[in-house]
């Protein structure tokens, strides 16, 4: 069939308008989409603001964060710092000219371990005191001089003077070995053993001097001065032997004022009235 044979078809097509199809989201869907986009923009702006605020508050920089700085020598902390977990470090030191302050609510412990993770030295500072544990303890001066050391065998005091400030002095349960014992100026020196004996021995002698005062030796039982190879010298202007027993009185009525000191074979001393000859034999009954 030719086009001339169907004239009604051309008329129908010419009278119809072309249809337009719209592509997109309209209505409530479009409004929801805009709302979600706006909400996401708000969240992004808030997150960005919070991130900038956190960076500002925490003081984030290229060198570190807050009081923590990363340097060539290690980590550097400025101000107060708190560690909630164990801290492992090779060296801890303060800033030049500033002290190093360690604070704890319970105690501060410093432990030294060997290669086998065994404790070899320990220092604990707590509310009950300071406790140290180790093979040896040394205290030295700024010049490197030994002031005090202690180990299992001995305790050494390297200072020029050892001063005991207690009212009862120093108490030694065992022997004491020292080259020199001296009191402070204008103070008395007392060596006392209230319940036991007091011995002073030296291979080359014991020297006792009191340049500006008196020397007094008091005991309840016996006082013994012994020299095995040498002699005992009493060098003084006056030597007094008090409470020595006296021998028989002179038959004459005159009061005798001159006596001689007699020595018994057992070492006892007594006084005997002096005469033209020795009267010690007359009073020898005092030697019994």
């Amino acid at each position: 069939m030719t086009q001339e044979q169907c004239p009604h078809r051309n008329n129908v097509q010419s009278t119809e308008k072309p249809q337009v199809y719209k592509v997109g989201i309209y209505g409530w869907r479009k409004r929801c989409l805009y709302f979600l986009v706006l909400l996401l923009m708000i969240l992004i702006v808030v997150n960005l603001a919070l991130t900038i605020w956190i960076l500002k508050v925490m003081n984030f920089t290229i060198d570190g964060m807050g009081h923590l700085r990363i340097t060539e020598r290690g980590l550097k902390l400025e101000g107060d710092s708190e560690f909630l977990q164990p801290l492992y470090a090779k060296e801890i030191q303060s800033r030049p000219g500033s002290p190093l302050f360690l604070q704890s609510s319970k105690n501060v412990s410093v432990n030294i371990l060997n290669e086998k993770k065994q404790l070899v030295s320990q220092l604990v500072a707590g509310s009950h005191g300071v406790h140290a544990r180790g093979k040896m303890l040394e205290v030295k001066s700024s010049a490197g001089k030994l002031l005090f050391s202690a180990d299992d065998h001995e305790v050494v005091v390297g200072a020029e003077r050892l001063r005991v400030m207690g009212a009862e002095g120093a108490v030694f349960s065992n022997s004491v070995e020292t080259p020199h014992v001296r009191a402070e100026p204008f103070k008395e020196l007392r060596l006392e053993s209230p319940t036991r004996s007091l011995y002073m021995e030296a291979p080359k002698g014991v020297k006792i001097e009191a340049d500006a005062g008196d020397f007094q030796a008091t005991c309840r039982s016996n006082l013994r001065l012994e020299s095995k190879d040498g002699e005992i010298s009493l060098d003084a202007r006056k030597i007094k032997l008090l409470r020595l027993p006296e021998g028989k009185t002179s038959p004459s009525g005159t009061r005798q004022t001159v006596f001689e000191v007699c020595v018994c074979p057992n070492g006892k001393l007594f006084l005997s009235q002096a005469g033209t000859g020795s009267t010690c034999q007359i009073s020898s009954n005092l030697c019994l």
Side-chain angles (χ1 to χ4, degrees):
M1 184 180 290
T2 61
Q3 187 175 2
E4 289 81 3
Q5 293 176 354
C6 297
H8 64 277
R9 183 176 178 181
N10 296 330
N11 297 330
V12 173
Q13 293 179 354
S14 60
T15 56
E16 292 181 356
K17 296 181 179 181
Q19 296 182 357
V20 178
Y21 295 96
K22 298 180 179 180
V23 178
I25 300 175
Y26 300 94
W28 64 270
R29 294 184 179 87
K30 183 178 181 180
R31 288 191 292 270
C32 291
L33 179 61
Y34 286 162
F35 176 76
L36 291 177
V37 172
L38 180 61
L39 181 61
L40 288 177
M41 292 179 63
I42 294 174
L43 291 177
I44 292 173
V45 172
V46 172
N47 288 334
L48 182 60
L50 289 177
T51 304
I52 296 175
W53 179 75
I54 292 174
L55 292 176
K56 184 66 176 178
V57 172
M58 298 300 293
N59 195 12
F60 276 95
T61 60
I62 300 177
D63 297 332
M65 176 188 68
H67 299 299
L68 180 63
R69 295 289 181 268
I70 301 175
T71 63
E72 296 180 355
R73 300 181 59 185
L75 298 179
K76 180 180 180 181
L77 288 174
E78 298 178 355
D80 297 337
S81 302
E82 182 178 356
F83 299 94
L84 302 180
Q85 297 295 332
L87 174 64
Y88 299 92
K90 182 179 180 180
E91 181 181 357
I92 299 177
Q93 62 180 0
S94 62
R95 292 183 300 177
S98 300
L100 179 62
F101 182 69
L102 301 177
Q103 182 178 359
S104 174
S105 59
K106 292 186 178 180
N107 57 46
V108 177
S109 301
V110 180
N111 299 330
I112 308 298
L113 307 178
N114 57 9
E115 297 178 354
K116 298 181 180 180
K117 303 299 181 181
Q118 297 177 352
L119 182 64
V120 293
S121 298
Q122 184 181 41
L123 177 63
V124 180
S127 58
H128 299 288
V130 179
H131 303 275
R133 175 185 175 186
K135 296 181 179 180
M136 186 175 183
L137 174 64
E138 286 187 354
V139 179
K140 295 184 178 181
S141 64
S142 57
K145 180 181 179 181
L146 180 63
L147 300 179
F148 179 84
S149 68
D151 55 14
D152 295 338
H153 303 286
E154 63 179 1
V155 176
V156 179
V157 179
E160 296 180 358
R161 178 181 298 179
L162 174 62
R163 178 179 297 180
V164 181
M165 303 298 296
E168 298 296 330
V171 180
F172 301 95
S173 59
N174 294 315
S175 61
V176 179
E177 182 178 351
T178 176
H180 192 189
V181 179
R182 182 178 60 185
E184 292 184 351
F186 308 105
K187 299 291 184 178
E188 294 182 355
L189 175 63
R190 298 183 61 182
L191 302 178
E192 182 179 358
S193 179
T195 58
R196 294 293 185 269
S197 301
L198 177 63
Y199 295 94
M200 289 187 295
E201 299 180 357
K204 294 186 178 180
V206 177
K207 185 177 181 180
I208 302 175
E209 292 183 357
D211 296 335
D214 298 333
F215 168 73
Q216 183 179 357
T218 305
C219 63
R220 184 171 296 276
S221 297
N222 298 324
L223 176 62
R224 182 176 180 180
L225 301 177
E226 180 180 356
S227 177
K228 296 181 179 180
D229 298 332
E231 61 181 10
I232 299 176
S233 300
L234 301 177
D235 187 2
R237 293 182 180 180
K238 295 181 181 180
I239 298 177
K240 295 183 179 180
L241 302 177
L242 305 177
R243 299 181 183 180
L244 288 180
E246 298 182 2
K248 296 181 179 180
T249 59
S250 176
S252 61
T254 59
R255 182 176 179 82
Q256 181 63 269
T257 58
V258 180
F259 293 85
E260 61 177 330
V261 179
C262 301
V263 182
C264 299
N266 56 8
K268 291 183 178 181
L269 300 178
F270 65 92
L271 296 179
S272 179
Q273 295 180 355
T276 56
S278 177
T279 58
C280 292
Q281 297 179 356
I282 301 174
S283 304
S284 59
N285 56 347
L286 295 177
C287 295
L288 301 178

